[in-house]
Amino acid sequence: MNLRPELCRAARGLLNWTQDQLAATAGVSRSTVRDFERERHELQRASEALVLAAFERAGVRFLPDSREGPGVRLQRNQERD
C-alpha cells in the first residue's frame, strides 16, 4: 500500500498521536513525518514500511480505495488480540 499524507494524518488522529509520537513509535525522524504530511516529499519505502507497521501494531487498518475513496479505521481491542 502507498501511504498518503491525508491517511497518515487521519490515522494519527484516530490514535490521538502527535507527529513526535508517530516518529518515535515508527523509528523515523519527526521531520520525516512532518514533511511527508505537509506533502513536501514522499516517504522512502523503508520509512513507509516502518510507519505502516507502527500504525498496524496500534490497531489502525487502512481501507482500500473504493468508490468512496480510501480510509482508515481503528480496530477494537478484542479484534487486535
Side-chain angles (χ1 to χ4, degrees):
M1 141 167 222
N2 290 332
L3 184 60
R4 295 169 27 183
E6 61 273 19
L7 292 176
C8 188
R9 290 188 300 268
R12 278 195 313 103
L14 284 173
L15 297 168
N16 198 27
W17 280 2
T18 64
Q19 289 179 342
D20 286 327
Q21 287 171 306
L22 172 56
T25 303
V28 298
S29 71
R30 181 181 176 276
S31 64
T32 295
V33 174
R34 181 194 63 221
D35 291 346
F36 173 65
E37 287 188 352
R38 290 183 181 173
E39 299 183 34
R40 290 184 177 167
H41 64 71
E42 296 292 318
L43 290 177
Q44 293 182 3
R45 285 185 200 171
S47 295
E48 182 180 49
L50 291 169
V51 168
L52 286 170
F55 280 139
E56 289 171 0
R57 282 191 308 272
V60 172
R61 295 297 172 253
F62 292 90
L63 306 175
D65 199 354
S66 66
R67 288 182 31 213
E68 297 175 354
V72 295
R73 71 179 278 255
L74 186 60
Q75 281 190 316
R76 294 183 184 146
N77 286 335
Q78 60 267 29
E79 291 176 346
R80 285 188 257 165
D81 297 333

